[in-house]
Each structure stands twice: as structure tokens, then as C-alpha cells.
């Protein structure tokens, strides 16, 4: 063996050994099938401890490069060696089966969603595209303590598989919590999912087939289009105002389009912030039952609000079991927990549990145990209260900045909770163009088009305030305002240079 | 307010206050709309700190039971109160839309998979049904240290959303790791998924439609049937021996059934333990390319093995990009991480990333960061080496016990890695009946039927040894042996009491 160890290198010794042997094999200084020195001998040769060599050998063996044979020693793997297979490589061409994708996502929506999902730290931009809470506010010490507690007290079972149904104490806690919101729920009815998104996706998989229609508010949460479009399920948009979905329009859609599901975000509607009135919630469940169509209530966040009372969930008005309820801990708490839940009953519940297993077996029992302890202890309720006050201040800063920097003809609505402001701009503004211009200027926005069933350019954008600090909000909105003014000026300029005939 | 605090109760004071006020509201001692004392006043009345009362109020407000109005105080929520809505409840009937499930899982398979997914701690049985590693062997201190490190060093970004593609350093590490196995991979080609199961499910979603066929080994990993059956995709079984899939039979199936995908577990095949020979791996990629059908290589575990060399992945023989590769850290490491990965290229890769977003947004960035550090540091390779030695001993104990306790006519194959033994019993034994009898006797087994395309009773079972301690293995196999002897004796008895005519 020809390599030498360096005490100065940053790589640990065992990695240097591993690297050295790997290079020797690649350079054919060590031939396939040849015997390596014993770890004792090599340790003596290299003046390192035997465990260092053993570690290097263990990794090389895991790499498939060497093999230890009981009683006879350690050998370079006889048949395959890495360089021979790698060297003769040409870049892959695209086989024809690659043309047979079942569906291709909408490019506008896809790009916007990818932008919104990029961590602000990665992009370095003022991330108005994100509409979720600010994880920097979360008491890190509390989380660290709880994690250590779970690992110490629950032990190895916290590392194993959970059932697809979910961790029983967490399901029990949620059942009690929802009971307090007036819902009739047992722990058996609660299924833990990887965020609300997986809940929606599993429900679609259980209930809908390609060609079916789903009634949704228009605009609505963009993730629901991703889920439905990739299954070739049609979405039928229904208008809404500050009091939520237009129930009369829903009735016409139920009669005309026979949707198989009504999807709604009644509380702090995403993206508009609307809160459905109690009266409409009642009407909705009555209509759903009359037409025998289930409601999927996406209650992604009730906990962050700015004062005014909000009506209880639609599910609490349900007398017949027509409402499937989805909740989440991503946007309001810690996205990285990847935990949400579905409340469902009867054969739908059983089917969802099976599909959860078919999809990804189960959620992390470790993270479920951490969440349960944080909930049980009340930490989270205190956190939500505190965070709400901070988000409220950020919202007010954004509203003030919009008044200062956005042009006449812009509109917005100050929601009583949630994480973003839905802003309408004059129709001559291209928000899709603004998206690119804003990225170049260091600001990200959520393009309004992404929230509509037909993602054409729409004069709307959603500006998330909750995860952006106050000083950046003012600066970011000012930048957007200037970019919009430039667009309007160009538009005017274009209008002047090419006057209407006549 | 009429409640009293108890210093003896186990509930924290703030919870007692919360409970007391909730009961008062339910009992109408506090009426909707009525004003609550200020937190200062109530704290003085109850001789507790003001923060305790504030915590109780925060939770009650999160419950929707009370509302604080800036400047005027705290009030019982005016419109809705919990008891009125809960009391008039009758149990839900099942609405007719509940009859419209898209598909119902196979009951035999479903039950077996649920049994296998139940944590051994919950069932208290000797869990031969589980075919994964023993998490109790994992160095808990190492995990705890790494988790703390990530939270401290990465900070809040570890709590946020990741991209659907996955954590870049982890993807980079995996690309390098797979390169060492002879695969041609860049970090861009790696997509992080919630275990191998989600990888398989996303690939099915991207490439297959209802009515399509998939070629699989028969028997094969049961999770693939769950995924395919729920999508109304047919599975066509192909025989295998100790050297893997019968390639000649595959060719006949390709000609006759036109499958859209070949699914294979070439290394430590689940459930049989077979390892596909290098020659067949080469033939497989040649065939796949000729018929323009992609291969899904499920390489769920290469790291736990008992000495003999194993061929490199099928993907390392691929010259054209026809192999989609799936790996996992669940069975060999920590199921609770819920992390696996897919290697894919071209439009399939892009589509998988979009579908990952549509399915559940992303994997936990926290857990990805923990896994990356454990891999990078080499901890895991040392662990796999150590665990392999322990599993090997457990396997030998099981093989010995099978020889002692199982009847003549039983067969098994000692695999060179993996977590279970595939056991054939005399055809008169009903393994489905044995499953129930074994559960009653405190032993769980994986019913062989679950691994076949048509889950009829089959005289096979898979017995996982890796997660069961040696002393329990001997005892569990002895119990199974006795139950089988009883079945055989009854069979004989039945034969005598009802002799064949003539």
C-alpha cells in the first residue's frame, strides 16, 4: 500500500486510510482478490490505533470494496471494482419510457410552489412567498429538552415503526382538543399524517377517480391543485367574500357539476384570509348532506389569531358524519415535524389508514412523541399566544407599507389571523412578470395565479408577513412598489408610443 | 367562579384553573358573553402567580371558550358553547358517499401488515412478524448528541420546510456513496422520500395507470401490493430461486403481459433472502432496455450482511438510464427517521419531485440533517458492522431452533444478510390459521400469503430474527413447532375419522 497519512489534514485518520485504500484499488495498486494486511499489522505500520484501521475496513466493506472472510483475512472484492464500471460510462440518454409520464404539473404553479418551499436562508431573499409562521420564534431550548426527554424516557421504541394510524396518546390528545371545539371525535377517528397536505392527498386517493370533479373556493390553497391535477381530477371554482364561500353558487355547482367532494378552507382562508360565517358553515353542512357529497374541511390553523372570535369548525355543525376534517402543525408551529391529522369515520377511516400504510408506512414516532409532550404540557398554547402578538405587529407594518408604496387601485383585506395579506393590484400589472423582477431584486412573492383553478396571470399576489422581520417588511414592500410603478410606467409608455388607431 | 384548586392533584395549577373554568362554562355557572375576572384579580383570589392564570386563559382562548378583547377584558365566547353542541348529539350514521371508496385492500394482506407494523412493546409478543433491525442496538447517546448538535448549530432553519427534492448535503452524500457502488449518480438525481415505500408509491403514481401491469418476483415485498392494488394496477408474478428472478420467465412476461414496470428486490430479497447473481443483473438491464420498460430496483438494505460478497446494484450495470433505484434507512437503521431515497433522471425525476410536493410537501429537514451527520461521521458504518454480527448470531439461533422444532418436510434457506428466514412448511399446515394460533400463544409471524400476488393460503411464513433476542427466538420457534404439530395431528385425526370412500 502506497498512501501516507497526514496529521495536518482535516479528515479523520480512518477516513484517510479508507481513501488511501480506495485509491489504491482504483489505481490497481491493490488488485481484485488480493489480501490486505490484518488490522493489527496495518495499525502498527501506520502508527495508529487498531480501532482506526477497523473503522476504515468497516467502511470499505460497507462500500463493497473489500470483504473479510472468517478465519482467512480481508481481501479486495474479487469480481467488481469501481473504476472499471465507472470509466466506461457515457452520459445517459433518455429512454423512450420517459415520455410516458402520467401527468405533468402546471409550470406556473410548479415554479411558484418551488419558490415558496425554498428556505429563506437558502435564497437570501425577503421571503413574502412563504405563508407560515416564524420558526425562529420557537423556544429552541424547550424543543431540545423535549427531544432529549423522549429519547431518554421512551427509549428504543421511539426509534421504531409506528402504526399507520398514529401514536395513540397524540390521537387521544387531539380528540380531546377537538371535542373542546365542539366536534364529536374519538381517538380512533384521528389519523396522523405528514402534514395537512398528505391528509388531503390520501382523501383524494380514497374517494376520487380521474375525471371526477371537486368544488373548491376560487382562489384556494395551491397545494390542492397539485394533488388534484396530478390525479386528473377537475377542480370547479366557487367565489368567496370576506364571509367565506358563496353558498348559493355552491348549490348551483352541486346541481350542475356533481362534484364528489367539497374542499374548503373556512378559517383564515388561504390565500385571502376570509373567515366563513357561522351561518354559512351551517348551510354548508346542510347542503352537503342533501346532495350526499362529503366536505373536506381544511382547518390548517386556528391557533394564530388577532383578537376577534372565530366560529367553531364546520365539523362541529355536522350531524351526520359528512365532514372530513384536516388539521396541521406545519404552518403554525414547526414545519419540520411534518405532522398533521385527519378526522374521518367508517369505511373511509379504515381505507385512509390502509392508504397511509401503502403511501409511506407511518409518521415518525419520534416526532409524534415530541409533539405530544409539547401539546400536553401546554407549551404550544402559550407559544401561539405570544407568536400571534408578533405576527399581528408584522401584519400592521405590512399594511402600513402597502398604503405607502402600492399604487392607487391596489386592494387588500386585513385578516384577523393567518400569515399573509392577499393583495389585488391594477389589472395592467403582470404579477407573473413581477415575480421574476422581484426575485432579481431580492424579494419573493406568491403569484396569485397559482391559487386559481386556471392559473392564468391574475392581478393578485399573496404576501406572507409572519416569517419576515419588521424592518425587512417595510424594505421589501417598498421594492415591490417601485417595480410595480416601473411596470405601470412602461405600460403607459407603450400605450403612448403605439396609440390606438383613430 | 365556583371551583377550588388542589395542591395534591397531579395536574399543574394552570390546568386545574382551565378545567375549572371549562366546567363552569359547561355547567352554565359562567354564561356566554359574561366577563371573567382579570388575570391579576383571579391570581390574587386563588393565591397563584399571574402567569399561571395567564397560561390558563391562553389555553381557554385557544380552545375557543373565552375571548380577550383589547382594552375591555376577557369574556366567555358569546355565540357558541361546547356543551350545547355536544349534548344534542346522536351517533353518526354512515352517509351513502361512504360506500364510494375507490378500492378496498385485501383483508389477509391488510391484517398481516398491520400486525407486522405494531411495535413489539405494544403487543408483548415475540415479534417474528417484524423483518427489520433491532433499534435497541442503536447507540442512543450518539443520536441524542447529534440531534442536539443539529438544533444548536443549524438553528431555526432545521425547523422549517425543506424543498420537496431534499436536503442538499444528504443528497450529495448519497450520490458519492452510490458512486462507490459503481452507480453513475449526481446529487440532483437523488430525491429524499419518506422511506422506500414512498419512493415506490411515487414512482407508481408517476408511471402507472389503473389497468397497467407490473412484473414482480413472486413472492415479493408485501408493501408493493398495497401500493399497486390501491391503484388498480395488476401485478404479474415471476418465479425466483436463490440466484434471484427467473430471467427467462421475465422475458415471456414482457412479451405476453406488456408490463409498464419491472419491480425487483435483487439483494437480500424480501421475503426469501435470495441474492440475484451478477450475470442475471446484467441480463435484466439488457432485457429492460430491449423492451423499453424501466426497472425499479428496491435496494432496501445492502449494509447488513454476513460475510459473502454481494454483487453491486443492478443500477451499476445500467448503460442507458433504465434503472430507477430506491434505497432506505428504515429497516437497517432507524424506522422513525422515515427516510429513504430515489435515484431517477430526466422528466421522471422532475415529475417525482413535483409529486413529492403534492403528496406531503417535503421530508423533515431536522431528521435529514441528523441522518446526514451520522452518515458523514461514519457512525453508521461502524454500527452496521456491529449489528450485522449480532443479527448473524440470532439467525444461527433461529436456524438451529427450526431444525429442532419444525416438522419433517419443512424447508428454509439461510440468507447471507437481511432480517428474516423464509420457511416452507408441509402443505397440510394452514399458515393463516397458524397466524391466529400463534398470536394467542404470544408469537407473531408474517403469513407467506401476504407476499404473493394472489394471497391465498400458502405453506410459507417469514420469520424475522433480527429484532428478537436470542433467548426469545428459541422459545418462540418451539411454540410455533408445537402449534404446527397440533395442526398436523388434527389433520391426521380428521383424515381417520372421515375416511375416503372406497
Amino acid at each position: 500500500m502506497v498512501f501516507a497519512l497526514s496529521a495536518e489534514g482535516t479528515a479523520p485518520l480512518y477516513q484517510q486510510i479508507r481513501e488511501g485504500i480506495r485509491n489504491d484499488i482504483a489505481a490497481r495498486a491493490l488488485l481484485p482478490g488480493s489480501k490486505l494486511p490484518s488490522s493489527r499489522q496495518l495499525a502498527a505500520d501506520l502508527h495508529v490505533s487498531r480501532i482506526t484501521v477497523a473503522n476504515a475496513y468497516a467502511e470499505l466493506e460497507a462500500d463493497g470494496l473489500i470483504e473479510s472472510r472468517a478465519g482467512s483475512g480481508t481481501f479486495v472484492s474479487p469480481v467488481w471494482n469501481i473504476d472499471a464500471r465507472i470509466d466506461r460510462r457515457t452520459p445517459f440518454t433518455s429512454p423512450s419510457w420517459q415520455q410516458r409520464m402520467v401527468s405533468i404539473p402546471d409550470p406556473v404553479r410548479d415554479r411558484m410552489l418551488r419558490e415558496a418551499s425554498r428556505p429563506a436562508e437558502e435564497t437570501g431573499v425577503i421571503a413574502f412567498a412563504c405563508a407560515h409562521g416564524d420558526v425562529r420564534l420557537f423556544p429552541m431550548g424547550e424543543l431540545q429538552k423535549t427531544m432529549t426527554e423522549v429519547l431518554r424516557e421512551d427509549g428504543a421504541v421511539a426509534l421504531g415503526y409506528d402504526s399507520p394510524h398514529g401514536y395513540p396518546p397524540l390521537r387521544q390528545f387531539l380528540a380531546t382538543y377537538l371535542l373542546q371545539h365542539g366536534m364529536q371525535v374519538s381517538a380512533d377517528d384521528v389519523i396522523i399524517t405528514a402534514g395537512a397536505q398528505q391528509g388531503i392527498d390520501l382523501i383524494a386517493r380514497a374517494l376520487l377517480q380521474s375525471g371526477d370533479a371537486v368544488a373548491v373556493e376560487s382562489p384556494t390553497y395551491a397545494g390542492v391543485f397539485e394533488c388534484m391535477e396530478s390525479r386528473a381530477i377537475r377542480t370547479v371554482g366557487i367565489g368567496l367574500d370576506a364571509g367565506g364561500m358563496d353558498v348559493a353558487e355552491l348549490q348551483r355547482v352541486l346541481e350542475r357539476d356533481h362534484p364528489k367532494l367539497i374542499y374548503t378552507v373556512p378559517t383564515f382562508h388561504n390565500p385571502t384570509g376570509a373567515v366563513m360565517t357561522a351561518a354559512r358553515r351551517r348551510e354548508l353542512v346542510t347542503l352537503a348532506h342533501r346532495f350526499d357529497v362529503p366536505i373536506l374541511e381544511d382547518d390548517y390553523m386556528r391557533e394564530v389569531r388577532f383578537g376577534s372570535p372565530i366560529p367553531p369548525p364546520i365539523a362541529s355543525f355536522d350531524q351526520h358524519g359528512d365532514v372530513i376534517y384536516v388539521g396541521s402543525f406545519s404552518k403554525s408551529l414547526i414545519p419540520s415535524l411534518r405532522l398533521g391529522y385527519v378526522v374521518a369515520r367508517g369505511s373511509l377511516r379504515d381505507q385512509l389508514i390502509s392508504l397511509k400504510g401503502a403511501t409511506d408506512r407511518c409518521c415518525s414516532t419520534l416526532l409524534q412523541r415530541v409533539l405530544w409532550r409539547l401539546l400536553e404540557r401546554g407549551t404550544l398554547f402559550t407559544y401561539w399566544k405570544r407568536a400571534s402578538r408578533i405576527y399581528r405587529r408584522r401584519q400592521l407594518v405590512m399594511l402600513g407599507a402597502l398604503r405607502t408604496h402600492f399604487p392607487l387601485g391596489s386592494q387588500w383585506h386585513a385578516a384577523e389571523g393567518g400569515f399573509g395579506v392577499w393583495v389585488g393590484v391594477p389589472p395592467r400589472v403582470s404579477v407573473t412578470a413581477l415575480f421574476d423582477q422581484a426575485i432579481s431584486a431580492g424579494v419573493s412573492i406568491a403569484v396569485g395565479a397559482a391559487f386559481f383553478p386556471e392559473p392564468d396571470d391574475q392581478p393578485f399576489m399573496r404576501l406572507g408577513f409572519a416569517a419576515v422581520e419588521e424592518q425587512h417588511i417595510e424594505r421589501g414592500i417598498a421594492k415591490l412598489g417601485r417595480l410595480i410603478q416601473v411596470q405601470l410606467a412602461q405600460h403607459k409608455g407603450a400605450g403612448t408610443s403605439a396609440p390606438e388607431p383613430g
Side-chain angles (χ1 to χ4, degrees), chain A:
Chain A
M1 275 184 273
V2 292
F3 61 92
L5 297 181
S6 152
E8 290 162 33
T10 46
L13 287 173
Y14 82 93
Q15 276 190 18
Q16 293 186 43
I17 298 173
R18 176 187 181 190
E19 209 49 53
I21 295 179
R22 192 190 293 154
N23 292 342
D24 281 2
I25 294 175
R28 310 224 142 226
L30 280 170
L31 286 175
S34 61
K35 190 170 178 179
L36 290 167
S38 71
S39 57
R40 184 189 305 271
Q41 189 197 318
L42 185 57
D45 291 356
L46 295 172
H47 306 289
V48 298
S49 81
R50 201 174 155 194
I51 188 81
T52 303
V53 176
N55 282 341
Y57 278 15
E59 294 210 12
L60 287 162
E61 188 159 8
D63 295 345
L65 289 177
I66 67 171
E67 300 287 342
S68 71
R69 296 180 206 150
S72 52
T74 306
F75 298 82
V76 178
S77 294
V79 186
W80 314 278
N81 57 57
I82 47 168
D83 59 336
R85 287 206 316 279
I86 293 171
D87 287 351
R88 61 177 150 70
R89 283 304 163 75
T90 47
F92 288 136
T93 52
S94 186
S96 1
W97 60 259
Q98 283 264 11
Q99 311 313 314
R100 297 199 298 257
M101 292 303 119
V102 170
S103 71
I104 299 295
D106 182 89
V108 172
R109 188 131 50 212
D110 202 46
R111 189 160 163 234
M112 199 290 290
L113 288 165
R114 285 197 198 200
E115 196 53 45
S117 74
R118 285 170 65 189
E121 290 76 4
E122 185 190 315
T123 58
V125 304
I126 299 176
F128 294 144
C130 303
H132 52 71
D134 190 342
V135 285
R136 292 168 300 185
L137 302 177
F138 195 81
M140 207 61 159
E142 198 67 32
L143 180 64
Q144 213 165 301
K145 207 183 71 188
T146 310
M147 186 72 82
T148 306
E149 234 174 72
V150 169
L151 289 175
R152 201 175 45 223
E153 292 172 21
D154 295 5
V157 68
L159 307 186
Y161 281 101
D162 210 316
S163 77
H165 200 160
Y167 181 52
L170 178 60
R171 291 193 281 109
Q172 183 58 58
F173 183 95
L174 290 169
T176 310
Y177 178 66
L178 296 172
L179 207 67
Q180 293 163 7
H181 288 306
M183 285 169 59
Q184 186 178 350
V185 186
S186 82
D188 272 355
D189 302 335
V190 180
I191 304 159
I192 307 298
T193 58
Q197 182 72 27
Q198 186 175 60
I200 297 167
D201 195 55
L202 290 176
I203 292 161
R205 185 162 171 183
L207 288 176
L208 304 173
Q209 285 179 294
S210 128
D212 284 347
V214 179
V216 302
E217 283 128 359
S218 177
T220 191
Y221 170 53
V224 86
F225 296 115
E226 286 181 279
C227 165
M228 299 304 169
E229 281 169 3
S230 69
R231 302 180 178 282
I233 292 160
R234 283 180 304 133
T235 44
V236 184
I238 294 174
L240 81 166
D241 56 31
M245 188 188 273
D246 181 335
V247 181
E249 192 179 338
L250 172 64
Q251 177 160 352
R252 288 193 297 274
V253 166
L254 286 167
E255 284 162 357
R256 190 190 63 203
D257 297 275
H258 308 291
K260 292 285 198 327
L261 182 72
I262 303 162
Y263 170 82
T264 177
V265 190
T267 303
F268 307 132
H269 174 261
N270 186 354
T272 67
V275 177
M276 190 183 288
T277 64
R280 288 201 203 165
R281 289 174 194 236
R282 265 197 206 91
E283 286 177 66
L284 203 61
V285 288
T286 308
L287 263 184
H289 191 66
R290 178 141 70 87
F291 283 86
D292 191 32
V293 177
I295 295 170
L296 168 43
E297 176 175 24
D298 182 351
D299 210 21
Y300 72 104
M301 204 278 302
R302 300 183 69 73
E303 293 79 10
V304 170
R305 50 184 211 274
F306 307 147
S308 301
I310 49 171
I314 298 177
S316 74
F317 296 100
D318 181 17
Q319 302 283 319
H320 304 282
D322 290 308
V323 180
I324 313 159
Y325 181 88
V326 167
S328 171
F329 295 97
S330 295
K331 297 203 191 298
S332 65
L333 188 64
I334 303 178
S336 196
L337 290 178
R338 305 308 309 124
L339 291 173
Y341 54 96
V342 174
V343 179
R345 296 175 185 84
S347 50
L348 175 62
R349 177 191 56 202
D350 297 342
Q351 174 69 342
L352 289 173
I353 296 170
S354 292
L355 288 175
K356 170 69 184 167
T359 301
D360 62 3
R361 294 262 76 89
C362 61
C363 286
S364 165
T365 194
L366 176 62
L367 297 182
Q368 290 183 74
R369 285 160 196 263
V370 168
L371 174 61
W372 173 69
R373 282 180 188 238
L374 288 170
L375 282 167
E376 186 63 23
R377 188 180 291 149
T379 316
L380 299 186
F381 299 95
T382 319
Y383 168 67
W384 279 317
K385 180 103 184 175
R386 188 172 67 86
S388 294
R389 280 195 297 268
I390 296 168
Y391 299 152
R392 171 55 147 187
R393 279 206 305 273
R394 292 179 179 177
Q395 186 203 35
L396 292 176
V397 170
M398 181 174 276
L399 295 172
L402 285 170
R403 274 190 298 271
T404 309
H405 299 289
F406 267 43
L408 220 67
S410 304
Q411 289 178 36
W412 52 84
H413 163 73
E416 293 286 345
F419 308 106
V421 181
W422 181 243
V423 180
V425 287
R428 289 157 303 157
V429 175
S430 162
V431 177
T432 312
L434 183 67
F435 174 82
D436 289 320
Q437 293 156 356
I439 290 283
S440 307
V443 181
S444 78
I445 64 172
V447 174
F451 303 96
F452 289 91
E454 299 296 329
D456 307 316
D457 205 356
Q458 294 261 5
F460 293 101
M461 65 190 91
R462 189 194 61 195
L463 301 176
F465 52 78
V468 185
E469 282 153 325
E470 292 178 31
Q471 66 270 32
H472 297 311
I473 292 177
E474 172 73 35
R475 206 157 51 84
I477 296 292
K479 282 190 183 186
L480 288 179
R482 274 195 299 278
L483 291 171
I484 293 173
Q485 297 293 3
V486 169
Q487 274 204 23
L488 289 173
Q490 282 171 342
H491 199 275
K492 215 171 193 173
T496 321
S497 69
E500 296 287 290

